[in-house]
Amino acid sequence: MSRIGKLPITVPAGVSVTINGKAVTVKGPKGELNTVFRPEMGIDLDGETLTVTRPSDQKQHRAYHGLTRSLLNNMVIGVTQGFSKDLEIQGVGYKAEELPKGVKLIVGYSHPVEYKAPEGIKISVENNTKVRVEGIDKQTVGHVASELRKVRPPEPYKGKGIRYLGEQVRSKAGKTGAK
């Protein structure tokens, strides 16, 4: 049995879960999320507990069992607490400016790079060098954070660029002098 898949999900007060065939809708104080799951997986709501069952012990069914349970758990956490990713900008003259629906990054190019956030994602900037991406969908939050990091990934010689908060960048030694 999948160790993750067999764990029940507790639905907190104020959250409603609707199961319509294989489509699941989770509504909570922060918003609403919809997802359609694999037809093989069984999703049951018993009072305030969600459980996921699988039809057989095949390798693929075992994998989908844990995946389905994790996605459902992320939906419940997202509509109650939300998710966030923090980025930091390092480099002389590198900074970020908050826009009404996105962010403008000034990271050493000849022009500022504007990023428009997708629906349901909030990007906030603190001290011109800290960027926070917030939302209720874990996958979208991670995707937006990775797209912002791709604008100027940290380079290994001076460490300049956009990195996740707490990310360690391995530094390389520069050129050695002529011998």
Side-chain angles (χ1 to χ4, degrees), residues 87-126:
L87 300 160
E88 60 183 347
I89 301 173
Q90 290 187 351
V92 177
Y94 287 14
K95 63 180 181 174
E97 296 174 10
E98 199 170 326
L99 296 177
K101 290 193 177 190
V103 67
K104 180 169 36 168
L105 301 169
I106 300 167
V107 287
Y109 295 122
S110 61
H111 59 284
V113 178
E114 290 189 12
Y115 183 83
K116 186 177 181 289
E119 195 68 35
I121 297 294
K122 180 180 178 283
I123 300 176
S124 56
V125 178
E126 177 187 324

Coordinates of all heavy atoms in Angstrom, one line a residue, residues 87-126:
L87 N 11.7 34.9 -3.2 CA 12.9 35.0 -4.1 C 13.7 36.2 -3.6 O 13.1 37.1 -3.0 CB 12.5 35.2 -5.5 CG 11.6 34.2 -6.2 CD1 10.9 34.7 -7.4 CD2 12.5 33.0 -6.6
E88 N 15.0 36.2 -3.8 CA 15.8 37.3 -3.4 C 16.7 37.7 -4.6 O 17.1 36.8 -5.4 CB 16.7 37.0 -2.2 CG 17.6 35.9 -2.3 CD 18.4 35.6 -1.0 OE1 18.4 36.5 -0.1 OE2 19.0 34.6 -0.9
I89 N 16.9 38.9 -4.8 CA 17.7 39.4 -5.9 C 19.0 39.9 -5.4 O 19.0 40.7 -4.5 CB 16.9 40.6 -6.6 CG1 15.6 40.1 -7.1 CG2 17.7 41.2 -7.8 CD1 14.7 41.1 -7.7
Q90 N 20.1 39.4 -6.0 CA 21.4 39.9 -5.6 C 22.2 40.4 -6.8 O 22.2 39.8 -7.8 CB 22.2 38.7 -4.9 CG 21.7 38.3 -3.6 CD 22.6 37.3 -2.9 OE1 23.5 36.7 -3.5 NE2 22.3 37.0 -1.7
G91 N 22.8 41.5 -6.6 CA 23.6 42.2 -7.6 C 23.6 43.7 -7.5 O 22.5 44.2 -7.1
V92 N 24.6 44.3 -7.9 CA 24.6 45.8 -7.8 C 23.7 46.4 -8.8 O 23.8 46.1 -10.0 CB 26.1 46.3 -8.0 CG1 26.1 47.8 -8.0 CG2 27.0 45.8 -7.0
G93 N 22.7 47.2 -8.4 CA 21.8 47.8 -9.3 C 20.6 46.9 -9.6 O 19.7 47.4 -10.3
Y94 N 20.6 45.7 -9.2 CA 19.5 44.8 -9.4 C 18.3 45.1 -8.5 O 18.6 45.2 -7.3 CB 19.9 43.3 -9.3 CG 20.8 42.8 -10.3 CD1 21.4 43.6 -11.2 CD2 21.0 41.4 -10.4 CE1 22.3 43.1 -12.2 CE2 21.8 40.9 -11.4 CZ 22.4 41.7 -12.3 OH 23.3 41.2 -13.2
K95 N 17.1 45.2 -9.0 CA 16.0 45.5 -8.1 C 14.7 45.1 -8.8 O 14.7 44.8 -10.0 CB 15.9 47.0 -7.7 CG 15.7 47.9 -8.9 CD 15.7 49.3 -8.4 CE 15.4 50.3 -9.5 NZ 15.3 51.7 -9.1
A96 N 13.6 45.1 -8.0 CA 12.3 44.7 -8.5 C 11.3 45.8 -8.1 O 11.5 46.4 -7.0 CB 11.8 43.4 -7.9
E97 N 10.4 46.1 -8.9 CA 9.3 47.1 -8.6 C 8.0 46.4 -8.8 O 7.7 45.7 -9.8 CB 9.4 48.3 -9.5 CG 10.7 49.1 -9.4 CD 10.8 50.2 -10.4 OE1 9.9 50.5 -11.1 OE2 11.9 50.8 -10.5
E98 N 7.1 46.7 -7.8 CA 5.8 46.1 -7.9 C 4.9 46.8 -8.9 O 4.9 48.0 -8.9 CB 5.2 46.1 -6.5 CG 4.0 45.2 -6.3 CD 3.6 45.1 -4.8 OE1 4.5 45.2 -3.9 OE2 2.4 44.9 -4.6
L99 N 4.2 46.1 -9.7 CA 3.2 46.6 -10.6 C 1.8 46.2 -10.2 O 1.7 45.3 -9.4 CB 3.5 46.1 -12.1 CG 4.8 46.5 -12.7 CD1 4.9 45.9 -14.1 CD2 4.9 48.0 -12.8
P100 N 0.7 46.9 -10.7 CA -0.6 46.5 -10.2 C -0.9 45.0 -10.4 O -1.5 44.3 -9.6 CB -1.5 47.3 -11.1 CG -0.7 48.5 -11.5 CD 0.7 48.0 -11.6
K101 N -0.5 44.3 -11.5 CA -0.7 42.9 -11.7 C 0.5 42.2 -12.2 O 0.5 41.5 -13.2 CB -1.8 42.7 -12.8 CG -3.2 43.1 -12.3 CD -4.3 42.6 -13.1 CE -5.6 43.0 -12.5 NZ -6.7 42.4 -13.2
G102 N 1.6 42.4 -11.4 CA 2.8 41.8 -11.8 C 4.0 42.4 -11.1 O 3.9 43.0 -10.1
V103 N 5.2 42.4 -11.8 CA 6.4 42.9 -11.3 C 7.3 43.3 -12.4 O 7.3 42.8 -13.5 CB 7.1 41.9 -10.4 CG1 7.6 40.7 -11.1 CG2 8.2 42.5 -9.5
K104 N 8.1 44.4 -12.2 CA 9.1 44.8 -13.1 C 10.5 44.6 -12.5 O 10.8 45.0 -11.4 CB 9.0 46.3 -13.4 CG 10.0 46.8 -14.4 CD 9.8 48.2 -15.0 CE 9.3 49.3 -14.2 NZ 9.5 50.6 -14.8
L105 N 11.3 43.8 -13.3 CA 12.6 43.4 -12.8 C 13.7 44.2 -13.5 O 13.7 44.2 -14.8 CB 12.8 41.9 -13.0 CG 11.9 41.0 -12.3 CD1 12.0 39.6 -12.8 CD2 12.1 41.0 -10.8
I106 N 14.6 44.8 -12.8 CA 15.7 45.5 -13.4 C 17.0 44.7 -13.0 O 17.4 44.8 -11.8 CB 15.8 46.9 -12.9 CG1 14.5 47.6 -13.4 CG2 17.1 47.6 -13.5 CD1 14.3 49.0 -12.7
V107 N 17.5 43.8 -13.9 CA 18.5 42.8 -13.5 C 19.7 42.8 -14.5 O 20.1 41.8 -14.9 CB 17.9 41.4 -13.3 CG1 17.1 41.3 -12.1 CG2 17.1 41.0 -14.5
G108 N 20.1 44.0 -14.9 CA 21.3 44.1 -15.7 C 21.2 44.0 -17.2 O 22.2 44.0 -17.9
Y109 N 20.0 43.9 -17.7 CA 19.7 43.9 -19.1 C 19.6 45.4 -19.6 O 19.5 46.3 -18.7 CB 18.5 43.2 -19.5 CG 18.5 41.7 -19.2 CD1 17.6 41.1 -18.4 CD2 19.5 40.9 -19.8 CE1 17.7 39.7 -18.1 CE2 19.6 39.5 -19.6 CZ 18.7 39.0 -18.7 OH 18.7 37.6 -18.5
S110 N 19.6 45.6 -20.9 CA 19.5 47.0 -21.4 C 18.1 47.6 -21.2 O 17.8 48.7 -21.4 CB 19.9 47.0 -22.8 OG 19.0 46.2 -23.6
H111 N 17.1 46.7 -20.8 CA 15.8 47.1 -20.6 C 15.2 46.4 -19.4 O 15.7 45.3 -19.0 CB 14.9 46.7 -21.8 CG 15.0 45.2 -22.1 ND1 16.1 44.6 -22.6 CD2 14.1 44.2 -21.8 CE1 15.8 43.3 -22.7 NE2 14.6 43.0 -22.2
P112 N 14.2 47.0 -18.7 CA 13.5 46.3 -17.6 C 12.6 45.2 -18.1 O 12.1 45.3 -19.2 CB 12.7 47.4 -16.9 CG 12.6 48.5 -17.9 CD 13.7 48.4 -18.8
V113 N 12.5 44.1 -17.4 CA 11.7 43.0 -17.8 C 10.4 43.0 -16.9 O 10.5 43.0 -15.7 CB 12.5 41.7 -17.5 CG1 11.6 40.5 -17.9 CG2 13.8 41.6 -18.3
E114 N 9.3 43.1 -17.6 CA 8.0 43.1 -17.0 C 7.4 41.7 -17.0 O 7.4 41.1 -18.0 CB 7.1 44.2 -17.6 CG 7.5 45.6 -17.3 CD 6.5 46.6 -17.8 OE1 5.3 46.2 -18.1 OE2 6.8 47.8 -17.8
Y115 N 6.9 41.3 -15.9 CA 6.2 40.0 -15.8 C 4.8 40.2 -15.3 O 4.6 40.8 -14.2 CB 7.0 39.1 -14.8 CG 6.4 37.7 -14.8 CD1 6.7 36.7 -15.7 CD2 5.5 37.3 -13.7 CE1 6.1 35.5 -15.7 CE2 4.9 36.1 -13.7 CZ 5.3 35.2 -14.7 OH 4.7 33.9 -14.6
K116 N 3.9 39.7 -16.1 CA 2.4 39.8 -15.7 C 2.0 38.5 -15.0 O 2.2 37.4 -15.6 CB 1.6 40.1 -17.0 CG 0.1 40.3 -16.7 CD -0.6 40.6 -18.0 CE -2.0 40.9 -17.7 NZ -2.8 39.8 -17.3
A117 N 1.5 38.6 -13.8 CA 1.1 37.5 -13.0 C -0.2 36.9 -13.6 O -1.1 37.6 -14.0 CB 1.0 37.8 -11.6
P118 N -0.3 35.5 -13.6 CA -1.5 34.9 -14.0 C -2.6 35.2 -13.0 O -2.4 35.6 -11.9 CB -1.2 33.4 -14.1 CG 0.1 33.2 -13.4 CD 0.8 34.6 -13.3
E119 N -3.9 34.8 -13.4 CA -5.0 35.0 -12.5 C -4.9 34.2 -11.2 O -4.5 33.1 -11.2 CB -6.3 34.6 -13.2 CG -7.6 35.0 -12.6 CD -7.8 36.5 -12.7 OE1 -7.4 37.2 -13.7 OE2 -8.3 37.1 -11.7
G120 N -5.1 34.8 -10.1 CA -5.1 34.2 -8.8 C -3.7 34.2 -8.1 O -3.5 33.7 -7.0
I121 N -2.7 34.9 -8.7 CA -1.4 35.0 -8.1 C -1.1 36.4 -7.8 O -1.3 37.3 -8.6 CB -0.3 34.5 -9.2 CG1 -0.5 33.0 -9.5 CG2 1.1 34.7 -8.6 CD1 -0.3 32.1 -8.3
K122 N -0.6 36.6 -6.6 CA -0.2 38.0 -6.1 C 1.3 38.0 -5.9 O 1.9 37.2 -5.2 CB -0.9 38.3 -4.8 CG -0.6 39.6 -4.2 CD -1.4 39.8 -2.9 CE -1.1 41.2 -2.3 NZ 0.2 41.2 -1.6
I123 N 1.9 39.0 -6.5 CA 3.4 39.2 -6.4 C 3.6 40.5 -5.6 O 3.1 41.5 -6.0 CB 4.1 39.3 -7.8 CG1 3.8 38.0 -8.5 CG2 5.6 39.5 -7.6 CD1 4.4 38.0 -9.9
S124 N 4.3 40.4 -4.5 CA 4.7 41.6 -3.7 C 6.2 41.7 -3.6 O 6.9 40.7 -3.6 CB 4.0 41.5 -2.3 OG 4.4 40.3 -1.7
V125 N 6.6 43.0 -3.5 CA 8.1 43.3 -3.4 C 8.3 44.0 -2.1 O 7.6 44.9 -1.7 CB 8.5 44.2 -4.6 CG1 10.0 44.5 -4.5 CG2 8.2 43.5 -5.9
E126 N 9.4 43.6 -1.4 CA 9.8 44.2 -0.1 C 11.3 44.6 -0.3 O 12.1 43.8 -0.7 CB 9.6 43.2 1.0 CG 10.1 43.6 2.3 CD 10.1 42.5 3.4 OE1 9.1 41.7 3.3 OE2 11.0 42.5 4.2

